[in-house]
Amino acid sequence: MSENSILSIGAPGFNVDRLVADLQATADRKMKAGVYADARVARAEKTNLVNLRGSDDFVSFYLTCLREAVFVDISDFEIHERRRFFTPLLVAFKKAIWKILKFYTYRLWSQQNQINGLIITGLEGMEEQTAARLAALEQRLARLEQQASGHGSP
C-alpha cells in the first residue's frame, strides 16, 4: 500500500502470501473431496459453469448440481422480528400469515417438486443413454480401425 492510503491493515508477523496459499490449498482439497459440489456453491459458481462447458465432466457436474437444487424448500422456518415494539404480536401475526399461505401453496409446491424430480430424472436417464451409446460407438470404431489396419498391411 502507498503511504497516502487511508486504511492499512496488518500485524507483526502476518504473512499474507502464506495465508493465501493456505486458503488455496484448503479450497483445492475440499474441491477434490466434493465438498463444494452442492447447490449453494453451484448457485454461487454459476458463471464458472460457462467456463466448464468444454470439460468432459461438465454434464455430470451440472446434473449433480441440478439434483441437489431441484426441490422447492417447503419446510417451516424461524420467523424473526427486528422491531423492538410489539415483537411477540408481530411474530404471531407473521406465523399466522405463513400458515395461511402454506395451506394454499403446499399442494402447488408439492406438485412442482414432483415435476422437478421427474425432469431431472429424465435428464439423467438421457445422459446415461447418450454415454452408453457413445461408449458403444467408440468401441465399434476401435474394432473397425483395428480390422482396417490388419487388412491393409501385407
Side-chain angles (χ1 to χ4, degrees):
M1 272 198 182
S2 69
E3 295 293 324
N4 297 336
S5 295
I6 296 174
L7 179 64
S8 176
I9 299 175
F14 185 74
N15 185 339
V16 173
D17 294 329
R18 182 175 166 206
L19 176 65
V20 170
D22 288 346
L23 288 172
Q24 186 63 48
T26 301
D28 290 343
R29 187 183 79 249
K30 288 183 177 184
M31 284 176 68
K32 288 177 185 171
V35 173
Y36 296 144
D38 71 9
R40 293 171 302 227
V41 175
R43 283 193 297 272
E45 294 291 328
K46 67 182 176 183
T47 56
N48 285 342
L49 287 176
V50 173
N51 298 327
L52 288 172
R53 279 195 179 161
S55 169
D56 292 338
D57 296 330
F58 171 75
V59 174
S60 62
F61 177 74
Y62 192 69
L63 286 174
T64 300
C65 292
L66 281 175
R67 172 61 71 188
E68 292 177 2
V70 73
F71 296 111
V72 177
D73 182 10
I74 59 176
S75 59
D76 285 331
F77 56 92
E78 187 74 26
I79 295 179
H80 298 283
E81 180 56 49
R82 292 178 293 204
R83 292 172 234 171
R84 293 182 186 198
F85 301 105
F86 307 112
T87 300
L89 182 64
L90 289 171
V91 168
F93 177 71
K94 288 180 179 183
K95 284 182 178 182
I97 295 289
W98 171 244
K99 286 180 182 178
I100 292 169
L101 289 173
K102 189 174 178 181
F103 173 77
Y104 284 110
T105 57
Y106 185 79
R107 184 167 182 227
L108 174 68
W109 288 337
S110 298
Q111 290 172 341
Q112 187 64 55
N113 282 341
Q114 184 179 19
I115 290 167
N116 292 352
L118 291 171
I119 289 172
I120 189 64
T121 301
L123 286 172
E124 288 172 337
M126 289 171 51
E127 170 58 22
E128 289 171 5
Q129 284 181 347
T130 303
R133 285 180 185 159
L134 181 60
L137 288 172
E138 287 174 347
Q139 289 176 352
R140 182 176 177 203
L141 179 62
R143 280 194 311 272
L144 290 173
E145 286 175 343
Q146 188 177 27
Q147 289 174 356
S149 65
H151 292 298
S153 59

